[in-house]
Structures are given as C-alpha cells and as structure tokens.
Amino acid sequence: MASGTALIYDEKMATHKLLWSDPICDIEVPERLSSSYEQLKSYHLVERCVPVPAREGSEEEILLVHSLEHLEVAKSTQTMNEEELKRVSENYDAFFFHPSTYHCARLAVGATLQLVDAVMSGEVRNGMALVRPPGHHSQRNAANGFCLFNNVAIAAEYAKLKYGLQRILIVDWDVHHGQGIQYIFEEDPSVLYFSWHRYEHQEFWPSLKESDYDAVGLGKGKGFNINLPWNKVGMGNSDYLAAFFHVLLPMAFEFDPELVIVSSGYDSGIGDPEGQMNATPEVFAHLTHFLMQLANGKLCVILEGGYHLKSLGESVCMTVKTLLGDPVPQITGEMAPCLSAVESIQNVRAAHKPYWKWLAYEDTSFLQNLSTKSHLLKKANSNTSTEHETKITNNNNTVKVERFLELHMKNILFPVPPIKTATIGSEGSEHFLSEHVQLVKEMDKTEIKSLVSGFYADLVEEDKILLSLGSMLAILDKILKKEVCNGIAASPTAALSAAVALRHSVRFGFQRVLCVFVGDMQITPNTEDGKMLIINICEKEQPGKTSCKHCISLNWKEDAEGNDFFSAVLGFILPVAYSYQPNLTVIAVGPNRSLGISGISLLVALLQGLAESRIVAVIEDTEISLLQSVAKALGGASTPPFGIYVPPTQEKVKKIKALRDQFQQEWKMLQCSGKLSD
Ligand SMILES: NCCCNCCCCCS
Ligand SMILES: [Zn+2]
C-alpha cells in the first residue's frame, strides 16, 4: 500500500509578478507561494512530506490542452519589454505577463505532472503542489483570470494518456468557476468536473450563464459537469459540508474515480477579498479527508487561488496535515446550511437527476432561488462603493481576519496523540494489528467490578464478559485521555460493552457521545439528556420502538450484490453526526448485523472526520474479518475496500427521505431541498 505525502514547491514560481498598476490583478502576488510554504514550515509539515522536485512542463504536454497559437504567444512574451507585456496582457480578461511568466507557468504544469507521477507510481499515496500562476480559468486559446496554462486540465489529459485512466474526478473548491476546465471536458465522460463558485445569479465574475447549475455537460459528457453556484456571499462551513454530503460525495462514490485531482483554491475561505465567504481553514481538512476515501487514496491537490495570505496559509496547512493522516480538527460554526445554499443544492440535484442512479428516486424539483433574487435587486439599486473604498475596507478586514485566525487556529488545533490505534494484546488480537498500535494492559477484575458496579452489574456474571469489559475500558480510557487517537475492542457482548462505554464516557466528561450501533441492540441506554445520540442500524423495525431525536433507528439490509449503503451514510448518518458535533464516537457491531463489512468500513472511514477522529470500535469477537477491516480503517494505513457500488432501491431512498423529513428541523445538515416540509 502506498504511503507518504508529496510536497512540490519551487521558489522560482514566485518570480512572476505584476509590473504595472492593475487593481484587478494586483492580488495575485508572489508572496502567496512563499508565505504558504513558510506557514507549512512553521507547522513542521514540510519535513514530514516527501519532497518531489518541480520540472518544466514540455511543450507537448501543454499542447494536450492548449492550441499551438496560445503556446507561441506565451513563449514570445519572454523577451518583451514592459510596454509590450502590458499590450499583450490586455488581450485577456484579468491576466498579466511578466518576462518570467512563461517559465513559471511551465514550472506550474511540470510540478503538477510530477505530483501525478508520484501518486500514480505509488511513490507516495497523495500530495500537494504549490504552484503559480494558477490554471483553472485558462482555456485552449486564451489566458484568463490570472491563469496561463490549465495545470489541472493538462494533468487529467496526461493521466489518461500515460496511465490509461478512464475515470478522473476533478474537485474545484476555489471560489471562482473554473470555466476553463469545464470547456475542456464538457463532452468528456471520463472526467467528472465539480465546481462550486460565487455566482450571485450571474452577477459575479466571470458572470457566465454556463456557470449555473443547469450546465450539466454536453453530448456524451452529460451528467459529468457539476456546477454548484453560491447566490450569496458569506457561505460557511455547514454550506460547504452540505454540498459534499448531498451533491458531490454521492456522485463521486457512484463515479468511483481512479484518481482525484483538486483544483485547490482557498479564496473560498474566510477573509478572502474575492470570495467574501466565511468558511474557516479546518473545513479544508474535512473536505480533504472525504476525498481521501476515494480512488484508494490517490489524491493530487493543486493550488489555484487564495488571496488573503494568512487565510491561504492556514488552509494550505490544514490540507497538508490531513493528507499526512493527522486527525481532523473539530469543525466550528452552527451546523445549519443557509436557505440559499439549500436551494442551490436542490437545483443541482434536480438538474442531474436524469444522469445519476443515486438520484433516480429522489423527488427533486427546480426552485427559483427566491431567497436571494429579491435581495440582489435591492443591492443593485443601492449605491455601490467605489473601487477605492472597497480596497480600504478590504485592507481593514485583512488585519481583522489575521487576528481572528490567530486565535481560531489556537482553539481548534490539538496535539496529535502519539499512537493512532489502541487494542488489547489478548489472544487473537494480533490478527488485526496495524502499525502505530498500542497494546494496552488489561484492567484487573476488582477495578472492573467497581467501574461496572454502578450499572449493569447484574448482567455481568461470567468472567469472560468481565474481562472483555475490562479490555474495552482500558482502551477507552486511553482515548478519553487523548493518549491514543482511536481503538478497537473485541467483545462477546457488543451491546453491553457499547452501553458501558457510553456511560463511562459521559461520566468522564464527554457530553456528546455518538453511538452508531449495527445489529440488534439489546440494551438501549437512556438518551433523554442529549449527552448521547444513538443511531441503530438494524434489519427490521423494533416493535413499539419509534425513533426520537437522540435515538434513531435506521432499518437497512445491505443488498446481496454489493454495497448500497453510500446513500444512507452520505445522505443521513454523516449529516446527523455533523449536526450533533460529538466529541467521541462509539461504533459497535452486535449480532445479526444487516450490513456488510464494506458498508461498516465506509462508516468507520467517514466518521473519522468527527470528534478529532476519536473513535472506539466494539465488535463481536466472532467477527474476525470485520475486526481486521475496521482496524485497517482506523489505522488509516490504507483505504479499506468499500465493495461494489450498488445504487439504493426506491424503497431505501424513500426510507432515508422519510427519516430526513422527520429530523431535518432538529438535525439541519439533513436539509437538501428548499421546500422545507411543513
Ligand atoms: N472585475 C473583474 C474581476 C476579475 N477577477 C479575476 C479573479 C481570478 C481568480 C482566479 S482563482
Ligand atoms: Zn479563485
């Protein structure tokens, strides 16, 4: 299994710069690259990465996407004087040439391709290339929006050619629409392009009709171009996460890419003068963590935009930290997407319904985005501040945001536990050991008896149960004390162990404990005080047991053909879990589980985005292969196989929809259709 994270950086790409005054382009400064690299060094992340050198992209590689004319014009600028450079630049929308631009742009292409090679060869598992000029706006025959050569588009064509890939996912989380990439792959079903972008009903640059949600691709490419327009500024973490849960991730898992490339612009982050959004740097750790579960972890992150240096640097560090496998910091902010975001999400789902199996039975309809259109008409009438005033406001905000981020990052960052996974060195545990495993010694019986005496004491007769409780509690304590990140315990009575783990964690002071229980949960702890949230995935309805806000039962029997659980995890369990914001997750698998190993592994892998990745897994001790797969998912050494993708049946879609309708007012991350049911 490939391991390691590549970092590609060459300070020569900082030479390209604006030689004259241009208020539109003057934000694309060399310091974007150098300050990001310095920030990585300050977090000691550079030394943990595999350094891969940049190289010049060849003319042939550039011609994979661009016309010869475009290449020649770019090449000819190397010897121009300032006046000539200015004149050539004026042929394009928001682009500037410097004598070194051509060379820097070739380095940006080459650095990107070096990263693709390092990942595809297995030298590393994933990586990031810090490049400029960026690429996603540039087109076959034109520079545009600070971009000369389309680094990411060239990388996708290159990977198809050199590695025979047939399914490449490009995720563009930059705040601008990468229209260049859309144009290049519009008719190509082998490249799935997803972009969200500030749009404001076509008011925001580049103000294209084809950036709206109904641009789904052309010809054979229909369904493989996904545009999620933000019709308001101020979008935050919950809006971005909702977009992943209810649009991108279900498509990505159905598409099942062989490689994922990110057009990683950070102008969608807080403080950026272009984006005017509110998402904080840790959101990029979550987005990265989700994408790492695809394509067996083969993920290439390529820098695009990002114009607030501090915000850019922190977001780059969050991205690289996650690529390295560090636990994911707790997401901040109210977990409730705004109405405008939900409208956009609903519209793009409606637009893509004809092209995706997972959407076949979703009842979506188009919305007129009434929540924002009127507001924009008002704005159009109000006096717009001059360019100059906007600049001043931006500069004042820059400093304010720097101070905010200084404090914010201190609050959310935490020391990474030295050990990743704890397990018990008891008999048989060696079969699911992975690296970074800490063997904890078992508790002695008297200690266990005292711990358990408060409750369930009557249930604990045999020594075997007592011992297994002791093992589980020994592991749990390591997690609660943050000495290890996660743990796995085998138990003859998973339901009892889970119930004891929940009670013990709450008593230890963890006030929001999520428990996902797969199988028959004979014991259901009292969840009235909200200190626990139980999601019980079981085959059939328990008589007389109705779901309530903190105790939800999801009836699900996995399809015999393969893993049809993606829609339940992405469309229901994750949104509820993220709405709850647990500070510990307990995953338990009892008898009569109705989920396959791949469905459970998917759950374990994706739930690591919560609670600073603190998870304790409690599994029936007879389930040897499940123990191994879950240990793999917890160890993070490799992405567990999630099995053959099977779309959900109509009956299962309806079941999720009914649960969503029942709980979307309580757990607001469930919202994905603007018509909030009354
Ligand atoms: N009124 C024209 C604004 C042009 N803005 C270009 C932004 C390019 C961002 C690249 S990520
Ligand atoms: Zn951008």
Side-chain angles (χ1 to χ4, degrees):
M1 245 343 152
S3 69
T5 294
L7 179 65
I8 306 185
Y9 170 77
D10 186 323
E11 62 183 18
K12 287 200 281 307
M13 283 183 267
T15 328
H16 162 68
K17 71 185 174 116
L18 181 59
L19 291 173
W20 51 82
S21 110
D22 171 348
I24 285 174
C25 295
D26 62 7
I27 53 174
E28 208 289 284
V29 293
E31 292 72 25
R32 295 180 54 238
L33 225 47
S34 45
S35 71
S36 297
Y37 190 69
E38 289 311 311
Q39 187 97 350
L40 284 167
K41 280 202 283 195
S42 74
Y43 277 116
H44 305 296
L45 294 172
V46 173
E47 65 229 38
R48 293 174 57 195
C49 291
V50 175
V52 169
R55 67 169 168 84
E56 271 203 329
S58 70
E59 295 194 4
E60 186 193 8
E61 285 158 350
I62 290 165
L63 293 171
L64 286 173
V65 159
H66 296 285
S67 66
L68 185 60
E69 183 196 350
H70 182 60
L71 177 65
E72 296 301 337
V73 167
K75 197 188 304 181
S76 70
T77 62
Q78 297 178 90
T79 55
M80 286 183 179
N81 63 37
E82 183 171 323
E83 192 196 328
E84 290 163 331
L85 290 169
K86 199 162 185 309
R87 197 167 334 109
V88 175
S89 304
E90 275 152 10
N91 293 334
Y92 305 111
D93 176 3
F95 188 75
F96 60 93
F97 278 102
H98 177 274
S100 70
T101 301
Y102 176 68
H103 178 59
C104 294
R106 286 189 57 180
L107 282 174
V109 169
T112 304
L113 301 185
Q114 287 284 83
L115 179 53
V116 170
D117 285 344
V119 167
M120 289 309 295
S121 67
E123 180 194 346
V124 294
R125 185 184 325 167
N126 56 39
M128 178 159 199
L130 291 174
V131 299
R132 66 184 282 275
H136 70 149
H137 295 300
S138 62
Q139 294 146 48
R140 178 170 165 69
N141 202 30
N144 178 284
F146 313 160
C147 306
L148 180 58
F149 299 138
N150 203 313
N151 307 313
V152 161
I154 294 169
E157 291 294 14
Y158 175 85
K160 280 162 64 180
L161 208 61
K162 184 167 181 179
Y163 300 102
L165 299 188
Q166 292 161 348
R167 294 187 314 282
I168 296 175
L169 167 64
I170 298 175
V171 177
D172 187 336
W173 61 46
D174 186 289
V175 86
H176 297 93
H177 179 219
Q179 83 280 37
I181 301 179
Q182 170 168 313
Y183 296 152
I184 291 158
F185 297 113
E186 204 147 28
E187 305 184 38
D188 184 344
S190 69
V191 176
L192 173 60
Y193 177 60
F194 170 89
S195 169
W196 61 39
H197 31 272
R198 183 178 169 183
Y199 191 58
E200 293 178 293
H201 301 291
Q202 207 175 326
E203 302 258 317
F204 188 67
W205 185 89
S207 302
L208 300 169
K209 181 79 194 77
E210 61 269 30
S211 303
D212 211 348
Y213 57 78
D214 54 359
V216 296
L218 299 174
K220 292 194 306 305
K222 277 192 162 188
F224 295 96
N225 189 79
I226 310 154
N227 283 334
L228 178 53
W230 299 125
N231 288 317
K232 254 178 52 182
V233 291
M235 294 299 174
N237 297 340
S238 56
D239 305 305
Y240 289 6
L241 289 170
F244 265 54
F245 295 150
H246 301 300
V247 180
L248 174 63
L249 292 177
M251 292 188 179
F253 280 102
E254 180 169 328
F255 183 64
D256 184 22
E258 300 157 292
L259 172 67
V260 181
I261 307 175
V262 181
S263 265
S264 187
Y266 296 100
D267 43 16
S268 43
I270 191 166
D272 191 280
E274 282 285 312
Q276 300 290 319
M277 298 298 175
N278 282 339
T280 43
E282 76 275 11
V283 77
F284 295 107
H286 289 260
L287 304 185
T288 302
H289 171 257
F290 291 134
L291 298 183
M292 283 167 73
Q293 311 313 319
L294 294 157
N296 229 336
K298 292 197 288 301
L299 176 58
C300 298
V301 181
I302 315 295
L303 181 66
E304 296 279 6
Y307 306 99
H308 182 289
L309 297 188
K310 176 77 178 162
S311 184
L312 166 63
E314 294 294 354
S315 302
V316 164
C317 291
M318 283 288 94
T319 305
V320 172
K321 216 168 131 49
T322 306
L323 289 172
L324 283 163
D326 280 8
V328 182
Q330 190 105 13
I331 195 81
T332 57
E334 193 204 357
M335 286 292 114
C338 70
L339 179 55
S340 175
V342 173
E343 286 175 346
S344 292
I345 286 169
Q346 175 175 337
N347 281 331
V348 69
R349 282 160 64 104
H352 277 269
K353 185 174 163 63
Y355 310 106
W356 294 89
K357 295 182 191 136
W358 71 277
L359 277 171
Y361 305 114
E362 289 285 353
D363 63 346
T364 57
S365 56
F366 289 100
L367 283 168
Q368 306 310 318
N369 295 92
L370 302 180
S371 69
T372 41
K373 268 215 175 111
S374 54
H375 143 77
L376 281 168
L377 290 178
K378 268 207 288 314
K379 188 175 113 173
N381 302 339
S382 69
N383 64 326
T384 46
S385 57
T386 66
E387 202 87 43
H388 177 66
E389 278 157 16
T390 319
K391 279 274 177 185
I392 292 173
T393 330
N394 280 343
N395 293 339
N396 298 346
N397 289 346
T398 302
V399 173
K400 266 189 215 131
V401 169
E402 276 163 10
R403 277 204 219 100
F404 163 80
L405 283 172
E406 204 69 47
L407 204 62
H408 178 83
M409 297 314 287
K410 273 198 189 66
N411 288 342
I412 65 166
L413 291 179
F414 56 97
V416 178
I419 300 287
K420 182 109 187 187
T421 306
T423 182
I424 281 294
S426 62
E427 77 294 333
S429 70
E430 65 288 341
H431 54 60
F432 53 85
L433 290 188
S434 63
E435 73 266 18
H436 315 308
V437 172
Q438 149 106 27
L439 298 188
V440 292
K441 68 168 184 46
E442 302 179 357
M443 283 183 168
D444 62 39
K445 286 186 193 149
T446 42
E447 199 179 340
I448 301 163
K449 276 209 190 310
S450 64
L451 255 179
V452 179
S453 61
F455 39 88
Y456 310 115
D458 49 319
L459 284 172
V460 181
E461 271 94 33
E462 310 138 59
D463 270 6
K464 193 178 169 218
I465 293 186
L466 210 57
L467 265 181
S468 85
L469 280 180
S471 315
M472 183 278 293
L473 288 168
I475 291 169
L476 180 58
D477 269 351
K478 290 259 174 221
I479 296 170
L480 298 176
K481 290 174 192 153
K482 305 188 182 181
E483 292 164 17
V484 303
C485 181
N486 58 46
I488 179 166
S491 159
T493 55
L496 175 65
S497 294
V500 170
L502 289 167
R503 294 291 292 272
H504 183 60
S505 307
V506 170
R507 290 204 171 157
F508 192 94
F510 281 68
Q511 297 302 302
R512 285 195 314 281
V513 184
L514 168 69
C515 175
V516 178
F517 194 99
V518 183
D520 294 345
M521 189 173 192
Q522 297 99 342
I523 311 168
T524 310
N526 176 313
T527 62
E528 246 105 69
D529 55 11
K531 289 178 181 166
M532 300 175 200
L533 166 59
I534 294 175
I535 302 177
N536 180 205
I537 300 149
C538 49
E539 182 166 351
K540 49 192 174 311
E541 203 84 35
Q542 315 288 324
K545 215 170 91 178
T546 50
S547 292
C548 69
K549 177 178 180 181
H550 286 99
C551 191
I552 301 170
S553 69
L554 166 59
N555 303 127
W556 198 278
K557 173 139 185 53
E558 189 154 273
D559 186 287
E561 299 306 309
N563 184 355
D564 67 350
F565 198 49
F566 294 90
S567 55
V569 176
L570 301 171
F572 187 77
I573 296 171
L574 280 181
V576 170
Y578 268 81
S579 306
Y580 184 56
Q581 279 306 304
N583 30 47
L584 174 73
T585 301
V586 177
I587 291 198
V589 181
N592 313 325
R593 60 177 165 89
S594 60
L595 272 188
I597 289 183
S598 46
I600 294 169
S601 305
L602 174 74
L603 254 182
V604 174
L606 290 173
L607 285 173
Q608 288 182 60
L610 293 152
E612 296 175 347
S613 300
R614 271 187 301 277
I615 290 189
V616 56
V618 180
I619 295 175
E620 287 287 308
D621 51 10
T622 53
E623 294 266 17
I624 300 301
S625 46
L626 178 63
L627 280 159
Q628 284 165 321
S629 182
V630 170
K632 234 168 141 186
L634 288 175
S638 64
T639 324
F642 297 137
I644 311 289
Y645 177 91
V646 169
T649 60
Q650 178 161 18
E651 182 228 350
K652 285 175 170 172
V653 170
K654 285 200 173 328
K655 193 173 296 183
I656 299 284
K657 172 104 181 66
L659 278 171
R660 230 177 10 227
D661 288 348
Q662 184 180 354
F663 291 108
Q664 70 177 351
Q665 296 306 334
E666 314 273 10
W667 306 122
K668 295 186 170 19
M669 291 305 289
L670 286 169
Q671 291 170 13
C672 58
S673 62
K675 306 188 305 313
L676 301 188
S677 55
D678 39 295

